[in-house]
Amino acid sequence: MPNPEAPALLTHDWSMGYPMTLRSVRLTRLHVRRRLTMWQWAGDIDNAVLVASELVANAVRHARVIGHELWLRLAELEDGGLIVEVSDPVRVFPRMDVALDGEGGRGLLVVTQLADDLVWFLRPEVGKTVRARLALPQSRTSGT
């Protein structure tokens, strides 16, 4: 998949590296909630926290490579939307197969329900980035 162009107009931009362990999922939740609260982001912070933590959990479970870490990036767009990116060292996108009686595999389905857009692209140096875009609810952007 080609690298989609990131929107040029950002009002906030933040990124951080995390070890490829399940403890990073909890840290992600804390950091995303704190960052979006500090930015006074007008969107649904709970949804953004869930999207970020699911993407990080997928990276930890499916892309763990010794000596590498994952990267989380948040970018608030000029229109108030939010980009959540998670980069990992593996060049394969996880499948969205869900067994109805299984525990795993639902994370990306949750992300596709909450995000307005979900794409992934290979990074030139190593691995891939998964990008989710969350828009503001129409009632907030239209003033109603």
Side-chain angles (χ1 to χ4, degrees), residues 32-54:
V32 170
R33 184 172 304 283
R34 180 177 298 147
R35 183 65 48 178
L36 295 179
T37 300
M38 285 175 27
W39 289 352
Q40 297 179 358
W41 186 58
D44 188 322
I45 291 176
D46 290 333
N47 284 352
V49 167
L50 184 55
V51 165
S53 66
E54 289 294 343

Side-chain angles (χ1 to χ4, degrees), residues 16-33:
M16 184 165 187
Y18 293 89
M20 300 286 273
T21 66
L22 287 175
R23 285 178 281 198
S24 294
V25 178
R26 180 177 178 275
L27 284 173
T28 296
R29 287 199 231 26
L30 294 169
H31 292 162
V32 170
R33 184 172 304 283

Side-chain angles (χ1 to χ4, degrees), residues 7-140:
L9 301 174
L10 303 176
T11 59
H12 293 103
D13 196 356
W14 172 83
S15 62
M16 184 165 187
Y18 293 89
M20 300 286 273
T21 66
L22 287 175
R23 285 178 281 198
S24 294
V25 178
R26 180 177 178 275
L27 284 173
T28 296
R29 287 199 231 26
L30 294 169
H31 292 162
V32 170
R33 184 172 304 283
R34 180 177 298 147
R35 183 65 48 178
L36 295 179
T37 300
M38 285 175 27
W39 289 352
Q40 297 179 358
W41 186 58
D44 188 322
I45 291 176
D46 290 333
N47 284 352
V49 167
L50 184 55
V51 165
S53 66
E54 289 294 343
L55 293 179
V56 167
N58 276 345
V60 167
R61 284 188 186 106
H62 303 292
R64 187 178 303 175
V65 175
I66 294 173
H68 289 271
E69 61 185 3
L70 65 90
W71 278 89
L72 169 68
R73 176 177 178 246
L74 301 176
E76 183 182 5
L77 307 172
E78 187 177 56
D79 68 1
L82 183 71
I83 298 291
V84 178
E85 290 182 344
V86 174
S87 300
D88 66 56
V90 173
R91 296 178 68 87
V92 177
F93 190 65
R95 295 180 1 198
M96 286 196 271
D97 293 341
V98 176
L100 293 177
D101 59 349
E103 285 295 312
R106 292 187 179 96
L108 285 178
L109 293 176
V110 169
V111 171
T112 60
Q113 293 295 310
L114 297 176
D116 295 285
D117 191 31
L118 178 66
V119 298
W120 71 280
F121 52 92
L122 298 177
R123 295 171 35 219
E125 60 282 357
V126 63
K128 69 177 169 302
T129 295
V130 180
R131 177 184 294 155
R133 186 181 190 290
L134 288 80
L136 292 181
Q138 288 299 328
S139 61
R140 290 189 181 174

